[in-house]
């Protein structure tokens, strides 16, 4: 498929269809009709042509499945809400993301396809890689573990926390690669400097939060080249940096559209929601709305790669925020705060400190117990907030319950 056919020509729509995708799409849709009650009903209700005679265009009538609705869909028929097109017994693992969204891992090696991002960053067989994503319940740790192992790398499953120990281990094993949050990488590099150690790290693939230029430059000052990857727990890798040109090359395992709020692909170059169709028969996700905002670029990349590129993360649709790699939905905070006594008014604020770390602060007016507030929020969203008691007039009665005060410039 040519660049113009993929949506990258002048006046074209913002759509990426990888070469050879349409036969794979037909197989995925056929499998979804046969094995997934949810998709069978949804495809029939939308009137999607069973044979996909118009290829990808045949799916245009299918409503976008919003990420925030997955929890409700799955709760109706746990654990996967009829979305899975494979017997649960054939899965390798089941994960749960915030909002009680269950994510399957199929049996295929590198199921989420992140090895392509690592390979583009220069990871090679035999490299020692410290993996600072969590291995607990959420899939990020295993996503990058399986990707590194697919390339033949040796993985240190470090997880999150115990920074002094992680610094010593990184130095002792000679780890040259890092995967994790960019802010956490900087924290490790600074901790190593405080300990009088120079880490052997030379390259990193980061995701889970934005990577502003200032943060990238400070990490680079320690001799570490940073590459971004972009994906979700639901669909795996969507795009990655190549290091030679701006933006994120789109992955061959997904069809990507940039859509307006009505689910229609916008003209090339315009911003909109990243909507993904996953070319995988285990867990078909057709026109899945990630909630992320971006735009497509059809300009050739110096690396010569054939795919279109995302122009980076431009924010979230609506009022959802991503904090320390976790999607934070205001409704989750509202439900948590509603269970507490002594809360007269409250407001959640997200800021960044001088070390580029996200800080979630809950401001509460009234005699509520700060420890109870912290525990309720932590149970609801898996983030450990700061809690501040403030006068009632410090929180406007008609003001927003959630404020994202971070700046990415």
């Amino acid at each position: 498929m040519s660049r113009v056919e993929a949506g990258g020509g002048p006046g074209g729509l913002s759509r990426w269809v990888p070469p050879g995708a349409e036969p794979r799409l037909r197989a995925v849709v056929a499998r979804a009709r046969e094995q997934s009650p949810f998709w069978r009903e949804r495809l029939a209700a939308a009137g999607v042509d069973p044979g996909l005679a118009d290829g990808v265009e045949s799916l245009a009538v299918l409503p976008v499945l919003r990420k925030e609705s997955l929890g409700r869909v799955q709760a109706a028929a746990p654990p996967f809400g009829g979305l899975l097109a494979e017997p649960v017994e054939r899965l390798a693992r089941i994960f749960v993301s915030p909002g009680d969204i269950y994510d399957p891992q199929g049996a295929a090696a590198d199921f989420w396809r992140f090895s392509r991002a690592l390979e583009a960053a220069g990871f090679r067989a035999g490299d020692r890689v410290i993996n600072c994503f969590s291995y607990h319940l959420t899939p990020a740790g295993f996503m990058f573990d399986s990707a590194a192992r697919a390339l033949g790398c040796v993985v240190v499953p470090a997880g999150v926390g115990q920074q002094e120990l992680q610094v010593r281990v990184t130095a002792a094993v000679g780890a040259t690669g890092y995967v994790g949050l960019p802010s956490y990488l900087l924290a490790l590099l600074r901790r190593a400097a405080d300990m009088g150690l120079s880490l052997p790290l030379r390259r990193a693939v980061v995701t889970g939060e934005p990577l502003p230029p200032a943060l990238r430059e400070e990490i680079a000052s320690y001799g570490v080249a940073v590459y971004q990857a972009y994906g979700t727990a639901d669909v795996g890798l969507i795009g990655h940096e190549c290091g030679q040109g701006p933006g994120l090359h789109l992955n061959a395992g997904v069809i990507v559209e940039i859509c307006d709020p009505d689910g229609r692909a916008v003209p090339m170059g315009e911003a909109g929601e990243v909507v993904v169709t996953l070319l995988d028969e285990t867990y078909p996700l057709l026109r899945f709305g990630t909630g992320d905002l971006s735009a497509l670029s059809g300009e050739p990349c110096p690396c010569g790669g054939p795919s279109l590129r995302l122009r980076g993360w431009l924010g979230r649709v609506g009022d959802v925020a991503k904090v320390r790699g976790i999607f934070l939905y205001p409704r989750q905070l509202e439900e948590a705060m509603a269970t507490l006594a002594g809360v007269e008014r409250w407001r959640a604020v997200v800021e960044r400190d001088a070390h580029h770390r996200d800080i979630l602060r809950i401001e509460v007016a009234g005699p509520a117990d700060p420890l109870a507030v912290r525990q309720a929020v932590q149970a609801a969203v898996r983030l450990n907030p700061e809690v501040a008691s403030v006068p009632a007039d410090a929180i406007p009665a008609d003001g927003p319950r959630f404020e994202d005060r971070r700046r990415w410039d």
Side-chain angles (χ1 to χ4, degrees):
M1 177 168 291
S2 72
R3 190 176 297 275
V4 172
E5 289 174 311
L13 296 177
S14 293
R15 181 182 292 123
W16 157 247
V17 183
E22 292 196 347
R24 296 169 63 191
L25 176 62
R26 290 187 176 92
V28 168
V29 171
R31 177 83 173 184
R33 287 183 186 276
E34 293 169 3
Q35 302 295 331
S36 165
F38 175 87
W39 287 115
R40 185 183 308 117
E41 180 178 338
R42 195 173 180 90
L43 289 164
V48 175
D49 174 17
L52 297 188
D54 295 327
V56 174
E57 294 290 344
S58 298
L59 286 183
V61 297
L62 190 67
V64 172
L65 174 63
R66 305 290 175 189
K67 183 178 179 72
E68 59 266 28
S69 69
L70 272 187
R72 294 190 298 274
V73 170
Q74 292 183 343
F80 296 110
L83 289 157
L84 195 67
E86 188 83 25
V88 173
E89 293 76 14
R90 295 183 186 175
L91 298 178
R93 295 181 179 89
I94 297 174
F95 301 93
V96 58
S97 296
D100 288 346
I101 296 174
Y102 291 89
D103 301 305
Q105 178 188 355
D110 191 24
F111 176 70
W112 298 280
R113 310 174 312 283
F114 273 95
S115 63
R116 183 68 194 95
L118 300 185
E119 186 177 37
F123 286 63
R124 297 293 183 266
D127 286 353
R128 283 154 276 185
V129 179
I130 183 165
N131 184 352
C132 289
F133 281 116
S134 173
Y135 282 73
H136 177 65
L137 286 181
T138 57
F142 284 95
M143 284 178 160
F144 283 88
D145 192 298
S146 61
R149 290 297 305 131
L151 294 179
C153 298
V154 180
V155 180
V156 180
V160 180
Q162 303 184 71
Q163 290 182 7
E164 289 192 9
L165 175 60
Q166 290 173 332
V167 165
R168 294 197 301 271
V169 169
T170 300
V173 305
T176 57
Y178 166 94
V179 293
L181 297 173
S183 60
Y184 197 79
L185 171 57
L186 180 58
L188 288 181
L189 293 168
R190 286 175 170 170
R191 181 63 62 90
D194 291 343
M195 295 168 62
L197 294 175
S198 178
L199 295 183
L201 296 174
R202 291 295 174 264
R203 62 190 62 86
V205 172
V206 299
T207 190
E209 63 186 13
L211 178 64
L215 179 55
R216 188 194 292 266
E217 290 168 8
E218 187 168 358
I219 293 172
S221 72
Y222 288 89
V224 182
V226 185
Y227 294 74
Q228 287 188 93
Y230 166 55
T232 75
D234 320 276
V235 301
L237 181 66
I238 296 173
H240 69 275
E241 289 184 328
C242 67
Q244 297 187 43
L248 300 152
H249 286 274
L250 292 171
N251 185 256
V254 291
I255 294 169
V256 174
E257 302 169 88
I258 306 298
C259 294
D260 65 18
D262 293 325
R264 295 175 300 217
V266 301
M268 191 67 183
E270 289 189 10
E273 182 179 12
V274 179
V275 174
V276 178
T277 293
L278 178 60
L279 298 172
D280 178 80
E281 295 183 30
T282 298
Y283 190 54
L285 286 175
L286 310 174
R287 306 204 76 216
F288 175 72
T290 63
D292 290 322
L293 296 174
S294 190
L296 283 184
S297 170
E299 295 297 320
C301 181
C303 77
S307 79
L308 302 182
R309 285 171 290 160
L310 286 173
R311 289 181 176 168
W313 184 77
L314 303 178
R316 292 285 298 168
V317 173
D319 56 1
V320 182
K322 202 170 191 178
V323 181
R324 297 203 292 271
I326 292 176
F327 290 125
L328 177 60
Y329 296 93
R331 64 177 174 81
Q332 293 173 296
L333 294 174
E334 292 170 359
E335 292 170 358
M337 298 301 289
T339 66
L340 299 169
V343 176
E344 297 172 3
R345 293 182 188 176
W346 66 274
R347 175 173 59 192
V349 176
V350 179
E351 296 177 317
R352 299 211 102 188
D353 66 12
H355 302 294
H356 305 283
R357 292 181 298 229
D358 291 335
I359 305 297
L360 172 62
R361 184 175 70 256
I362 308 297
E363 299 175 349
V364 180
D369 178 7
L371 178 58
V373 173
R374 182 178 296 110
Q375 290 175 339
V377 172
Q378 192 169 19
V381 300
R382 297 188 195 165
L383 291 168
N384 188 18
E386 298 179 355
V387 179
S389 296
V390 301
D393 60 3
I395 303 175
D398 58 351
R401 285 282 182 85
F402 179 83
E403 293 183 20
D404 191 343
R405 298 176 182 173
R406 294 172 295 180
R407 297 293 180 266
W408 308 109
D409 51 19

